[in-house]
Amino acid sequence: MKLLASLTSPYARKIRILLAEKQLPFELVVDSPWEANTRVPEVNPLGKVPALVLDSGEVFFDSPVIAGYLETLDAHPSLLPPGGIERVRVRQTEALADGILDAAVGAYLEGRRPDAQQSSVSIARQFDKIRRSLDELEKRASGHTWLDGDAMQLGDITVGVALGYLDLRLPQLDWHTDRPALTALAERLFTRPSFVATIPPAG
Ligand SMILES: N[C@@H](CCC(=O)N[C@@H](CS)C(=O)NCC(=O)O)C(=O)O
């Protein structure tokens, strides 16, 4: 299978980390949807990465769908409970972390527009979403090694990716302060080979 990804996309990083944790072989096709010569729209009509192309030609996107597909491959370790409310809870954590990413990417892109075109109201709104979500995750992480259950799962990985993205793109948000449980979770995740191997390039 082939993964279309840009090296700076946090959503693509999430999938690269899942593939590494499960030791699933794949071909990484580096393609930025922002470049004029991108081939991403040929496989994903939404023109976004990540997109996973199976050997059969079938394509899966977006990252939650790809994460669900990877779980069907029965590769160890399993990163989602097999079913029931436990699975819903992990997917809820994933959705919260993906939502932080959506808000962070939105704020970062808004902040890159020329000064006169930027909306400080829009950036503040995104920052509010991020701070509220981080406070909720801090509560859930407090007193626990992992967010959902006794082992690392998809939710923890997605939260780790979101925290890494905040460090990279929105350091002024200073998410570490007053969030010791999330800081400890990030330290546990960031030293894993799967996270180290997917650190985005500078720029
Ligand atoms: N919800 C999607 C988000 C994917 C996404 O927004 N990817 C960005 C890169 S970080 C992208 O490809 N943007 C190109 C565009 O919006 O045209 C997922 O989880 O995969």
Side-chain angles (χ1 to χ4, degrees):
M1 56 189 167
K2 288 184 196 172
L3 182 72
L4 273 70
S6 77
L7 298 179
T8 52
S9 164
Y11 309 96
R13 185 182 187 204
K14 167 183 158 188
I15 299 303
R16 290 165 65 209
I17 289 171
L18 298 182
L19 287 160
E21 291 287 340
K22 289 173 171 290
Q23 297 188 34
L24 284 164
F26 71 104
E27 183 188 340
L28 179 65
V29 180
V30 178
D31 189 330
S32 169
W34 305 105
E35 302 291 332
N37 61 352
T38 179
R39 318 238 5 212
V40 173
E42 293 170 26
V43 300
N44 177 358
L46 298 174
K48 294 186 179 193
V49 288
L52 187 73
V53 184
L54 306 192
D55 293 347
S56 64
E58 192 171 9
V59 181
F60 290 128
F61 54 85
D62 52 0
S63 68
V65 174
I66 299 172
Y69 168 72
L70 296 182
E71 248 354 80
T72 69
L73 299 180
D74 278 340
H76 188 76
S78 140
L79 295 168
L80 268 174
I85 192 73
E86 290 79 16
R87 188 178 177 101
V88 176
R89 289 198 178 113
V90 173
R91 300 238 77 160
Q92 177 65 87
T93 305
E94 179 195 21
L96 191 52
D98 278 341
I100 291 174
L101 280 175
D102 295 344
V105 169
Y108 173 69
L109 293 179
E110 185 68 30
R112 285 183 58 184
R113 284 154 59 89
D115 281 353
Q117 290 170 26
Q118 272 180 40
S119 162
S120 56
V121 174
S122 164
I123 293 176
R125 202 174 149 74
Q126 303 306 327
F127 273 36
D128 283 348
K129 290 176 197 291
I130 297 168
R131 290 198 182 98
R132 278 196 307 268
S133 303
L134 290 173
D135 288 343
E136 172 63 26
L137 285 168
E138 173 68 18
K139 269 191 250 157
R140 295 191 196 183
S142 186
H144 303 281
T145 305
W146 303 111
L147 284 160
D148 301 290
D150 297 336
M152 182 187 76
Q153 309 218 48
L154 171 61
D156 302 287
I157 289 173
T158 313
V159 168
V161 168
L163 297 175
Y165 186 80
L166 294 177
D167 280 338
L168 180 76
R169 296 298 197 207
L170 301 175
Q172 70 274 35
L173 208 118
D174 190 21
W175 68 263
H176 299 257
T177 298
D178 295 331
R179 296 196 185 94
L182 279 187
T183 301
L185 177 67
E187 281 166 4
R188 262 193 296 287
L189 291 165
F190 289 178
T191 52
R192 296 181 77 83
S194 60
F195 274 77
V196 173
T198 56
I199 291 173

